[in-house]
Amino acid sequence: MSRILPHPLLTLALILMWLVLTRASLGHLVLGTAVGVGAGLVYARLETGPTRLRSVTALVRLAGVVALDIVRSNAAVAVLIVSSRRHRKSGFVEIPLRLQDPTGLALLAMIITGTPGTAWLEHDRASGVLLLHVFDLKDPEDWRHLIRTRYEALLLEAFA
Amino acid sequence: MTTATLLLAALTFAQLALALAACLAAVRILIGPRAQDRVLALDALYVSVMLLFVTTGLRLGSIFLFEAALVIAVTSFVSNVALAKFLMRGEVIE
Amino acid sequence: MTGLDPLPLWLAVPVALFLVLGSTLTLLGTVGLVRLRSFYDRIHAPTLGTSWGAAAILIASLLSWSWLQDRAMVHEVVIGVFLLITTPVTMMLLGRTALVRDRAKGSPDVPPPAGSRSD
């Protein structure tokens, strides 16, 4: 936008959060605005590339899918911990990703780590290969298919 | 059963469970075996204690424990990231 | 005696359920932390506490405070969003740390770095 407000949305969100956390008053509005503008300037220094959001509906659909999956995998992992099945096998899975956009990858990392049962270990930017650890691994091919069709396809749709 | 007894029972259960969770995380911090196990358990300990603060705030009817919970969340993030970073760098340079 | 006495029954029941659910999940997460054998298994356990464990307790708190104070209380939302953003960062960093340290030790159980593979 300008030199003083490089990230107007971030600044606005921070001011709103400041007012919500404190009892809203003029003094807090001034203080919150100072913090918001300062944080916007700092964020501009981080040199993250511009994010090109193409489809908001894809993101909304993704949020629904993820919310459902988190509930389901919470139950699954809780049952596995209690029952301590002897033949449960965990293991590493390598998944080649087509997704390149940094924001999309950050979201995918949040989804995978936030869902119990899968952990994001490493992503190689050059080859686009993601290394996952899966708690209850039956067939690696299932997980490759799941990540690529369930999450990555929607993220590819959302980010250019 | 009245509303008060129901809530008292649920709050007591939640507090006991979270305290036990914090103790179990502390056990893992003590037995390790490697440094990354201890950092992972420290993270779980921080989360349990933070949730314990939230439930205690509900029980006492005090809103000020939120600020404490928020501070715990922030310090836990900063300390664990710093620890993990140190573990990664320390051994690689070695 | 709790600070929650004035809650009506229709609100008290979900609050109690969420409290029990959240604390049970957090407890199960740490039980897994102690019981599971390898580090890579254990990294999955605390996510129970940081996903639905925390969410359920924060929802219970949100519901009761909004009733008690006659205004929407969003402190819980701030804590929730903060946990949502920071937990993946910590977990990813810890996962990579474990991987780097195990490779440096020459452990045979972990896959080699992506650059050194033949394909």
Side-chain angles (χ1 to χ4, degrees):
Chain A
M1 193 152 132
S2 68
R3 290 240 301 282
I4 305 170
L5 282 177
H7 293 279
L9 270 179
L10 177 75
T11 305
L12 190 67
L14 280 173
I15 294 172
L16 279 180
M17 198 183 93
W18 190 279
L19 288 182
V20 153
L21 278 177
T22 57
R23 301 250 162 185
S25 68
L26 188 64
H28 277 303
L29 182 66
V30 174
L31 200 55
T33 311
V35 171
V37 172
L41 288 173
V42 170
Y43 192 74
R45 288 289 188 88
L46 287 177
E47 288 181 24
T48 50
T51 307
R52 298 169 304 275
L53 189 63
R54 268 197 315 197
S55 154
V56 179
T57 50
L59 274 189
V60 174
R61 259 192 299 153
L62 184 69
V65 167
V66 170
L68 199 69
D69 283 0
I70 290 185
V71 173
R72 213 184 292 157
S73 62
N74 257 292
V77 171
V79 168
L80 277 175
I81 287 179
V82 173
S83 68
S84 71
R85 241 169 48 211
R86 279 275 165 269
H87 51 95
R88 177 186 63 81
K89 221 178 104 238
S90 59
F92 298 93
V93 184
E94 277 177 1
I95 303 174
L97 291 181
R98 286 166 297 161
L99 190 65
Q100 294 282 336
D101 184 80
T103 316
L105 282 172
L107 266 181
L108 185 64
M110 275 176 69
I111 294 169
I112 288 176
T113 329
T115 325
T118 48
W120 171 297
L121 291 182
E122 198 177 49
H123 176 257
D124 185 42
R125 195 174 271 277
S127 60
V129 174
L130 164 70
L131 184 65
L132 277 191
H133 188 269
V134 179
F135 191 57
D136 187 19
L137 184 69
K138 290 194 185 82
D139 181 12
E141 206 47 56
D142 280 356
W143 284 98
R144 267 180 217 126
H145 186 73
L146 180 93
I147 301 284
R148 297 186 71 165
T149 52
R150 210 170 163 82
Y151 306 132
E152 198 197 1
L154 280 171
L155 282 170
L156 278 172
E157 213 178 297
F159 296 101
Chain B
M1 191 154 77
T2 62
T3 318
T5 16
L6 173 74
L7 281 170
L8 191 63
L11 275 174
T12 311
F13 175 85
Q15 283 183 306
L16 285 177
L18 289 171
L20 187 58
C23 291
L24 288 175
V27 167
R28 184 45 87 186
I29 293 181
L30 288 178
I31 60 179
R34 302 199 65 198
Q36 58 263 40
D37 289 297
R38 296 177 211 269
V39 180
L40 183 67
L42 185 65
D43 192 58
L45 175 68
Y46 268 121
V47 171
S48 316
V49 172
M50 190 201 77
L51 293 177
L52 188 58
F53 267 56
V54 174
T55 42
T56 309
L58 268 182
R59 182 177 198 134
L60 300 178
S62 152
I63 205 134
F64 297 107
L65 282 159
F66 269 123
E67 260 92 295
L70 202 56
V71 170
I72 293 179
V74 175
T75 44
S76 111
F77 172 63
V78 175
S79 69
N80 286 325
V81 164
L83 280 171
K85 199 92 192 158
F86 171 72
L87 289 182
M88 186 150 53
R89 289 270 179 79
E91 201 158 297
V92 168
I93 292 171
E94 225 172 58
Chain C
M1 196 52 203
T2 74
L4 296 180
D5 286 345
L7 285 196
L9 188 64
W10 61 266
L11 192 60
V13 170
V15 165
L17 281 180
F18 273 125
L19 276 174
V20 171
L21 173 75
S23 51
T24 311
L25 276 175
T26 314
L27 180 60
L28 279 181
T30 48
V31 167
L33 197 64
V34 171
R35 277 183 69 176
L36 295 171
R37 294 234 171 67
S38 86
F39 173 79
Y40 298 101
D41 278 355
R42 285 197 284 269
I43 204 169
H44 299 292
T47 34
L48 282 180
T50 52
S51 59
W52 259 101
I57 288 181
L58 292 175
I59 288 172
S61 173
L62 185 77
L63 289 176
S64 28
W65 279 117
S66 298
W67 178 269
L68 291 174
Q69 301 269 315
D70 277 330
R71 64 187 185 116
M73 298 299 292
V74 283
H75 289 62
E76 291 90 348
V77 179
V78 175
I79 296 184
V81 169
F82 190 78
L83 266 187
L84 192 74
I85 296 172
T86 56
T87 313
V89 179
T90 320
M91 291 296 162
M92 279 165 63
L93 208 54
L94 265 179
R96 273 194 62 199
T97 304
L99 210 60
V100 167
R101 283 171 64 103
D102 279 346
R103 278 173 189 158
K105 229 178 83 178
S107 167
D109 306 327
V110 291
S116 72
R117 270 187 289 266
S118 49
D119 53 357

